[in-house]
Amino acid sequence: MDYFLINGGNRLRGRIEIGGAKNASLPILAACILCEDEVVLHDVPDLADVQSMLLLLEELGVQSTRRADGALRLRVVDESRVHAEYDLVRKMRASVCVMGPLLAKRKEARVSMPGGCNIGDRPINLHVQGLRRLGAAADLKNGDVLLASEQLIGGDIFLGGPFGSTVTGTANVLMAAVLAKGRTVIEAAACEPEITDLADFLNACGAKISGQGTPCIVIDGVEQLGGCEHRIIPDRIEAGTFMVAAAITNGELELANCRLDHLGAVVDRLRHIGVTVERDNGVAVVASTRRLEPADVTTQPYPGFPTDLQAQLMVLLSLADGNSVITEKIFPDRFMHVAELNRMGAMLRKEGPTVIVEGVRHLIGAPVMASDLRASAALVVAGLVAQGQTRISRVYHIDRGYKEIEKKLAAVGADIERRQEQAEEEGAPPRRSGTHADAPVWLAPHEVPTK
Ligand code: EPU
């Protein structure tokens, strides 16, 4: 198993290219099940989760190849299979996104019901409810959700739940409705940019969707979808993670391929904290030069502050000059990182879905364990600024959503390397990602007085 070793204290400086969005790629890949013709996708990141989705699609008769220029070509070659089995779904919850396309195109879908995960309960009741409103019969057998319909019929569907809308639920209903007879109106639809990207992709294939990016999406069903060439939007969560990394090291990063218009709430909070975020010559420039101000942050559905950046922002606020309050309104139990960050000297107190963050002067390196994707990213960010060495084990979690994060960080000055437990035992040298040209210097970035 791989782990990261980070020696904290280096100021990050330089340019990072943001990859295509994981959470836009996954439903768009699933949507290829709907297409009669070849699909070419640019900027699909080569991540563990994408590989899991491609494996599932192969099981379901969708062939894919990576071109030399990195683009993915996908084509349906066999429509006989409709079962997404437990082994694949359990590895990646987003596998559930094949449900809508299978039902619409192949008249039935059998998808293993995903269980909870480290960020909390993850029900799919709204997905199933939405597909039933389109006329599908639904059943549960041996832990699989079974859906069937000879012809889906458009209808009015409300997708709001106790924690707002559902992102992958909206994706599932949208993908099913494009081939339904007549008009479907989805109320309380997710407004996330990843849903807009999915709708834009489907429209490029011949679907008739309007209202994407708003809580009311209207879909007029069509007979069939062709194929298209499409570029995936940049990953706003990867960008936000590097913004926090720049701020916490009092560094300055230029983020290329970064959509600041997808990061409004994040930029607002960062500016409130005292971080500079500007657009310059097509790149986002993020810099920090002073002690940080505390802030109150509540995660909300888009355009609110994203839950996928809550853990990273918590690390930043740990070093602010005062107390902050973070409330999680999407996944109220998504706080696995709290105990690990406290081991690094943070002062975090959890009270229900809220964490009170008492600002401290330093974080201190420690062995810590990654528990889920974004919590791992938070530990990496903490390691960048902690005094001494941080060892993060189980980094396979981070590989699910960040392409070679250690290489990207090392290229802008971080002292971070990936090591393999087994290789080390055999005496092999570590796979070093490189360090900044300048000698590592402890900058004590958060000791800069504000007054
Ligand atoms: N919910 C229900 N019923 C449902 C579906 C969801 O009650 O049928 C609840 C959930 O329990 C949660 C809230 O609604 O409290 C929102 O869940 P949502 O369905 O929107 O989450 P998701 O679609 O499963 C996607 C992302 C997550 C991201 C959330 C919230 C993908 C593949 N996953 O999950 O990304 O945190 O939206 O923005 O798009 C990640 O990338 O690390 C990640 C977890």
Side-chain angles (χ1 to χ4, degrees), residues 22-23 122-126 163 166-168 308 330 374:
K22 166 181 84 80
N23 289 347
R122 310 275 304 266
I124 56 164
N125 57 310
L126 296 169
F163 303 99
T166 160
V167 179
T168 48
D308 291 344
I330 309 287
R374 308 303 173 186

Side-chain angles (χ1 to χ4, degrees), residues 249-265:
T249 60
N250 268 3
E252 180 168 328
L253 288 181
E254 290 178 7
L255 303 177
N257 193 34
C258 170
R259 291 274 303 258
L260 282 184
D261 58 324
H262 291 167
L263 283 154

Side-chain angles (χ1 to χ4, degrees), residues 140-215:
L140 186 67
K141 202 173 178 182
N142 289 342
D144 293 339
V145 180
L146 274 62
L147 292 151
S149 165
E150 269 313 301
Q151 173 65 65
L152 295 172
I153 309 285
D156 293 347
I157 295 165
F158 181 80
L159 282 182
F163 303 99
S165 188
T166 160
V167 179
T168 48
T170 301
N172 255 327
V173 175
L174 181 60
M175 291 187 281
V178 290
L179 294 185
K181 210 179 174 88
R183 173 168 283 199
T184 299
V185 178
I186 307 178
E187 299 277 6
C191 301
E192 271 67 6
E194 293 75 18
I195 293 296
T196 304
D197 202 27
L198 171 65
D200 292 346
F201 164 79
L202 291 167
N203 278 345
C205 293
K208 289 193 178 145
I209 303 166
S210 58
Q212 59 268 38
T214 78

